[in-house]
Amino acid sequence: MRLQFAPFVLSILATTTAFTPAPQQPILQKNNNRLSSTTTVQLHAQKRNNLEEIITNLNDATRKTITTLSLSAALFLAPTISDVTTLDDISSVPPQITLSTLVRPPTANAASYNDFTPEQRVVAEAWRIVDNSYLDRTFNNQDWFKLRQDNVKRKYKSMDEAHAAIEKMVSTLGDKYTRYLSPAKYQSLVDSATGNLCGVGVEIATTRDGARVIASDVEPNSPASNGGILPKDVFLEVDGVRFDTDKATPDDVAGRLRGREGSRVGVVMERDGKVLDFILTRQPITITSVRTYMSDKAGGGVGKVGVIKIKSFSGTTASFVKDALVDLKKKGAQAFVLDLRNNPGGLLPGGVDTASLFLQQNKPVVYTVNKSGAVDTFSSLADGIELDAPLVIFVNGNTASAAEVLTAALKENNRATVVGEKTFGKGVVQTIRSLSNDNGGVAVTIQRYETPLRNNINKLGIEVDAPPTALDCDNADAVVCIPSSAFKKPVTES
């Protein structure tokens, strides 16, 4: 399974990692069942400066007969490829270099991939996934192929040891978004993104200092909501496991909260210094990623304001927001707020399509750049349905990824005023790939993006046009935190 999205944090509600399976891309053509009469040596090089080392590893007779040397930098070739047409089909093929020569290389250089142990195979598979699509082709300025060789040659006592080796290997890239996902974390991610959850309906995050895990939001009519858990409650214990230290993570808490439908889970929370105990029954959770309400708190003659809170972006977000705009207009909305606070992203196309609802045709929304430097442009395909009403985007330090795509698109196209705090600054896109035999998965950074004005906001964030009216704006009505001067008519083009 291959999934493409731009995530930031994992929540039990799946509001952070919505995705749909990405189409498989053909990379090899069938070739009469076998490759041409070339000798294949099971070595792999990413850069031309590796050639001297490769040739040195061959014996003298072989070196003298080499006529050409071609590197399979992007493709993984196999002696038989009649049934291999996409990258996802190649599960047991080692990376190789093709030597056009009539002399067979030394046996030691042509060891069969099938001789690998299951543990060695999964390590090689994880390396291959990263190698194929990782954005930084210097691999953090290290010998990425040597790292593969060192890890594949190791003898592992267990699959857990292999998983630990993958995690360490991937961590050398120095990219916190490119990471190994254990089987439990991978399944949690899949469940979150597809909405196939049995839990209690609470979104999980950490406090600003990262010291405690809290309920950042509670799904209406969920076990958590009906049981009395409130946003900002602090997790102390779940299912008998303590989470009251700075080492606890949202993933850890989410893993204990989820479980079999109908089973019960004990939760201990802290609220205003008081310890509260809850016994909740796990149920399937329906995600509400878009919520709306009307507000008359704007002042300054703004009139009624329609508020659309978007918790994450999926393939259906734009459709929900479009329906919400129509409904809010019928209720008399004269201005709008897109509340993207704590929105960690989701599907990149979801952010693009939602931004397009407020833009004229052919306006740039975002540019993406892949490992080869190829640039894709995403623009609005038609006039949006709301081009004239004042529009404010409300953000904070946890607004990230696809949510930042939308924010930058509407800000830099002079369509909206951005209020709140500087955003998180995540300007890269990941793909999630599963490992065979239920060995988890690997998240890999495959693209970076640039705003309509070609700004790279990664690790920088987006500056706001105006601060909120109060430092602590957790009021249920977002409009009370937005200065009335932020509601401006967009500049129309002649």
Side-chain angles (χ1 to χ4, degrees):
M1 178 185 295
R2 180 172 59 189
L3 315 165
Q4 288 187 334
F5 66 111
F8 167 46
V9 293
L10 175 67
S11 85
I12 194 168
L13 280 180
T15 60
T16 65
T17 51
F19 58 78
T20 56
Q24 296 179 337
Q25 300 297 321
I27 66 167
L28 294 177
Q29 299 296 325
K30 298 184 179 181
N31 187 23
N32 298 323
N33 293 333
R34 293 195 174 273
L35 297 178
S36 58
S37 57
T38 60
T39 302
T40 57
V41 177
Q42 291 179 343
L43 300 170
H44 181 75
Q46 285 298 325
K47 300 183 289 290
R48 289 286 173 182
N49 60 15
N50 286 349
L51 299 185
E52 182 178 349
E53 177 184 351
I54 294 164
I55 295 175
T56 301
N57 288 333
L58 302 175
N59 62 25
D60 290 338
T62 301
R63 288 203 301 273
K64 291 177 181 178
T65 60
I66 293 175
T67 56
T68 59
L69 178 63
S70 62
L71 303 182
S72 57
L75 307 181
F76 297 131
L77 306 180
T80 302
I81 57 172
S82 59
D83 296 323
V84 178
T85 56
T86 73
L87 182 62
D88 286 342
D89 292 332
I90 306 176
S91 59
S92 61
V93 178
Q96 299 171 336
I97 289 173
T98 303
L99 301 177
S100 296
T101 174
L102 298 178
V103 178
R104 182 174 298 279
T107 303
N109 287 333
S112 172
Y113 184 76
N114 292 326
D115 291 339
F116 288 168
T117 66
E119 291 80 9
Q120 290 169 327
R121 288 185 186 183
V122 74
V123 172
E125 181 185 8
W127 180 92
R128 172 173 57 78
I129 290 171
V130 176
D131 181 67
N132 181 66
S133 56
Y134 188 54
L135 179 63
D136 176 12
R137 302 316 291 170
T138 73
F139 297 92
N140 199 24
N141 296 305
Q142 64 178 328
D143 191 335
W144 179 241
F145 178 69
K146 184 179 184 299
L147 201 59
R148 174 195 185 274
Q149 295 298 77
D150 292 343
N151 281 279
V152 170
K153 288 178 181 177
R154 284 180 54 187
K155 302 298 182 183
Y156 298 97
K157 295 180 181 179
S158 66
M159 193 60 77
D160 286 341
E161 259 191 27
H163 293 168
I166 295 171
E167 184 171 13
K168 184 176 180 181
M169 177 176 67
V170 174
S171 71
T172 65
L173 297 170
D175 175 4
K176 65 182 178 180
Y177 301 115
T178 297
R179 63 201 187 280
Y180 169 68
L181 303 170
S182 68
K185 286 187 178 180
Y186 176 78
Q187 190 57 50
S188 175
L189 192 61
V190 172
D191 289 344
S192 294
T194 58
N196 297 324
L197 298 176
C198 281
V200 299
V202 59
E203 184 178 311
I204 305 170
T206 58
T207 53
R208 284 185 178 272
D209 59 7
R212 307 296 292 275
V213 179
I214 63 171
S216 57
D217 199 6
V218 180
E219 187 73 14
N221 300 317
S222 65
S225 174
N226 295 336
I229 292 179
L230 300 177
K232 302 179 73 172
D233 285 354
V234 178
F235 285 95
L236 299 180
E237 182 179 314
V238 178
D239 205 22
V241 178
R242 301 289 297 183
F243 292 111
D244 54 353
T245 70
D246 59 3
K247 294 182 180 180
T249 68
D251 275 344
D252 297 333
V253 175
R256 303 301 300 187
L257 285 170
R258 293 192 181 104
R260 180 175 48 84
E261 181 180 359
S263 60
R264 304 176 78 189
V265 58
V267 182
V268 181
M269 309 291 285
E270 179 182 319
R271 183 189 305 158
D272 298 327
K274 297 180 180 179
V275 176
L276 305 172
D277 292 288
F278 302 91
I279 301 295
L280 307 175
T281 302
R282 298 181 177 100
Q283 296 177 2
I285 303 300
T286 301
I287 309 304
T288 307
S289 62
V290 177
R291 299 178 188 171
T292 66
Y293 58 90
M294 293 288 293
S295 174
D296 58 1
K297 303 292 179 62
V302 174
K304 293 183 178 180
V305 178
V307 181
I308 303 174
K309 181 171 179 57
I310 306 174
K311 296 176 66 177
S312 67
F313 289 95
S314 69
T316 60
T317 301
S319 177
F320 282 121
V321 172
K322 181 179 180 180
D323 291 343
L325 286 168
V326 172
D327 181 63
L328 292 170
K329 283 182 178 180
K330 289 180 178 178
K331 294 178 179 178
Q334 297 170 283
F336 296 94
V337 171
L338 296 182
D339 188 351
L340 302 184
R341 290 173 299 169
N342 300 316
N343 182 324
L347 262 184
L348 179 61
V352 172
D353 293 344
T354 304
S356 297
L357 295 174
F358 300 91
L359 295 173
Q360 295 176 333
Q361 186 177 14
N362 293 326
K363 291 293 184 180
V365 177
V366 69
Y367 302 95
T368 62
V369 185
N370 69 9
K371 64 179 183 180
S372 303
V375 179
D376 283 334
T377 303
F378 294 82
S379 300
S380 50
L381 300 179
D383 284 348
I385 67 167
E386 181 46 70
L387 304 177
D388 302 317
L391 177 65
V392 171
I393 303 176
F394 198 14
V395 299
N396 65 6
N398 289 326
T399 303
S401 198
E404 290 176 294
V405 168
L406 180 147
T407 301
L410 298 183
K411 174 183 171 71
E412 294 186 1
N413 280 296
N414 298 313
R415 178 60 187 92
T417 303
V418 181
V419 174
E421 307 167 355
K422 184 170 74 171
T423 62
F424 180 80
K426 182 177 182 294
V428 288
V429 181
Q430 284 71 45
T431 183
I432 298 293
R433 292 287 303 279
S434 63
L435 294 171
S436 58
N437 300 317
D438 297 322
N439 279 302
V442 184
V444 185
T445 297
I446 59 169
Q447 294 174 325
R448 64 179 174 85
Y449 69 76
E450 297 175 352
T451 68
L453 297 181
R454 306 308 294 262
N455 292 313
N456 182 353
I457 59 95
N458 196 44
K459 299 181 181 179
L460 299 175
I462 301 170
E463 297 288 350
V464 299
D465 298 312
T469 56
L471 293 178
D472 188 9
C473 278
D474 289 327
N475 194 291
D477 189 340
V479 176
V480 302
C481 299
I482 298 173
S484 59
S485 59
F487 292 94
K488 304 174 182 177
K489 281 276 190 178
V491 177
T492 57
E493 296 183 356
S494 57

